């Protein structure tokens, strides 16, 4: 089954990147992807919204894909400061991250909001990467699997298929901390996610599950080799083209 799940290595730049350095980074990644001519994996760059258009233009023809970091649930309207899935698509994006823990925490995004955003991605023709993950307190209380289960059930819209959904498991305590779960812990979480997905889609076995949280060029090979891991969502290490490409090579 794993052979049908083409690994996806996604870089989440978060709120980093002005035009000059962002375009240089995108060009570095795009050149590396073009040179590698990978047909067995996908590489995705998710710059801040201000750079989606320019990065998509810089990446055109390279094979590197471009995505947004968030979208609003509505296609347009009186929502000052927001960006719709349709706008991302129009700017050249093919993917969008929804429900990142920083948005769940900073912006109070609930599972219902995340689900509506994933539906908006579908409406616009984007592939949503739905993020879930437990906090340290939840892990220490032994609640990891039940938290993942309830976030998944609440955040994945009805009608999901393998072509329309990517799930990213990102333990909140591992994001930006340099700490990672052990590979058996990652494998256990991913196996549980796949099992729960079985109740949500007939194509659970083919849905790609990414691991995210302090993935870097040194630990990527080991984390990516864990059971049921089909790629990575990379924050800090996606801000250096060489590091990010090393992670993509490890997939
Ligand atoms: P990190 O971020 O790789 O910097 O830990 C991952 C993420 O938040 O997607």
């Amino acid at each position: 089954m794993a052979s049908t799940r083409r690994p996806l290595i996604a870089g989440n730049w978060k709120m980093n990147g002005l035009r000059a350095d962002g375009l240089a980074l995108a060009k570095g990644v795009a050149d590396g992807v073009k040179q590698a001519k990978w047909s067995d994996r996908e590489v995705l760059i998710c710059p801040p919204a201000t750079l989606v258009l320019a990065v998509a233009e810089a990446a055109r023809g390279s094979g590197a894909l471009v995505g947004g970091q968030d979208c609003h649930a509505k296609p347009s309207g009186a929502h000052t400061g927001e960006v719709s899935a349709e706008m991302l698509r129009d700017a050249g994006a093919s993917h969008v991250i929804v429900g990142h823990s920083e948005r769940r925490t900073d912006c109070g995004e609930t599972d219902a909001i995340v689900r509506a955003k994933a539906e908006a991605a579908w409406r616009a023709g984007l592939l949503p990467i739905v993020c879930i993950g437990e906090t340290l307190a939840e892990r220490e209380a032994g609640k990891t699997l039940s938290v993942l289960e309830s976030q998944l059930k609440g955040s994945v819209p009805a009608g999901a298929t393998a072509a329309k959904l990517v799930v990213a498991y990102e333990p909140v305590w591992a994001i930006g901390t340099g700490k990672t779960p052990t590979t058996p812990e990652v494998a256990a979480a991913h196996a549980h996610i796949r099992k729960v997905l079985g109740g949500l889609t007939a194509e659970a076995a083919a849905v790609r599950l990414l691991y995210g949280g302090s993935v870097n060029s040194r630990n990527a090979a080991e984390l990516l080799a864990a059971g049921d891991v089909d790629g990575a969502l990379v924050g800090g290490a996606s801000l250096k083209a060489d590091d990010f490409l090393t992670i993509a090579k490890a997939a």
Side-chain angles (χ1 to χ4, degrees), residues 8-87:
L8 171 64
I9 303 299
N12 172 12
W13 292 4
K14 309 192 179 185
M15 197 171 71
N16 295 293
L18 301 180
R19 246 183 331 163
D21 57 329
L23 282 179
L25 172 57
K27 199 172 169 329
V29 172
D31 286 349
V33 170
K34 188 170 185 179
Q35 227 171 8
K37 292 196 182 71
W38 283 310
S39 57
D40 59 348
R41 71 201 71 189
E42 293 177 337
V43 177
L44 173 69
I45 304 169
C46 300
T50 48
L51 291 182
V52 169
L53 177 65
V55 168
E57 278 169 5
R60 188 178 299 143
S62 68
L65 304 165
V66 179
Q69 298 176 8
D70 174 52
C71 65
H72 194 272
K74 298 264 169 58
S76 62
H79 303 286
T80 302
E82 297 287 343
V83 173
S84 72
E86 282 78 359
M87 290 168 175

Side-chain angles (χ1 to χ4, degrees), residues 12 14 100 102 170 174-177 212-215 233-237:
N12 172 12
K14 309 192 179 185
H100 190 282
E102 284 153 16
E170 297 206 305
I175 294 175
T177 59
S214 294
V215 176
L233 182 52
V234 185

Side-chain angles (χ1 to χ4, degrees), residues 105 133-141 144 147 151 170-173:
T105 305
E134 83 286 0
T135 62
L136 185 58
E138 288 163 343
R139 174 162 284 268
E140 286 174 345
T144 298
V147 165
Q151 286 185 340
E170 297 206 305
V172 177
W173 53 272

Side-chain angles (χ1 to χ4, degrees), residues 9-248:
I9 303 299
N12 172 12
W13 292 4
K14 309 192 179 185
M15 197 171 71
N16 295 293
L18 301 180
R19 246 183 331 163
D21 57 329
L23 282 179
L25 172 57
K27 199 172 169 329
V29 172
D31 286 349
V33 170
K34 188 170 185 179
Q35 227 171 8
K37 292 196 182 71
W38 283 310
S39 57
D40 59 348
R41 71 201 71 189
E42 293 177 337
V43 177
L44 173 69
I45 304 169
C46 300
T50 48
L51 291 182
V52 169
L53 177 65
V55 168
E57 278 169 5
R60 188 178 299 143
S62 68
L65 304 165
V66 179
Q69 298 176 8
D70 174 52
C71 65
H72 194 272
K74 298 264 169 58
S76 62
H79 303 286
T80 302
E82 297 287 343
V83 173
S84 72
E86 282 78 359
M87 290 168 175
L88 292 171
R89 171 79 194 229
D90 186 50
S94 53
H95 294 59
V96 63
I97 299 166
V98 294
H100 190 282
S101 69
E102 284 153 16
R103 295 205 56 89
R104 288 180 185 262
T105 305
D106 297 355
C107 310
E109 290 191 7
T110 60
D111 290 335
I113 291 172
V114 175
R115 187 173 64 235
K117 292 182 174 204
E119 280 170 338
W122 290 353
R123 185 189 63 223
L126 299 179
L127 177 52
I129 299 173
V130 176
C131 302
I132 57 172
E134 83 286 0
T135 62
L136 185 58
E138 288 163 343
R139 174 162 284 268
E140 286 174 345
K143 291 186 189 152
T144 298
L145 300 186
S146 63
V147 165
L148 297 179
E149 180 159 352
S150 79
Q151 286 185 340
L152 206 54
K153 287 178 174 166
S155 306
V156 173
T161 63
K164 285 166 69 179
L165 177 70
V166 173
V167 174
Y169 168 53
E170 297 206 305
V172 177
W173 53 272
I175 294 175
T177 59
K179 294 185 189 133
T180 58
T182 64
T183 36
E185 285 169 341
V186 172
H190 280 230
H192 190 68
I193 290 167
R194 200 172 297 286
K195 184 171 140 224
V196 174
L197 276 177
L200 304 176
T201 164
E203 298 184 7
V207 173
R208 286 176 292 175
L209 308 183
L210 314 185
Y211 168 77
S214 294
V215 176
N216 59 44
S217 56
R218 296 171 303 285
N219 64 17
E222 187 182 347
L223 288 163
L224 287 163
D228 275 303
V229 173
D230 309 308
L233 182 52
V234 185
S238 72
L239 296 175
K240 285 199 179 130
D242 287 350
D243 285 355
F244 188 55
L245 288 166
T246 300
I247 295 168

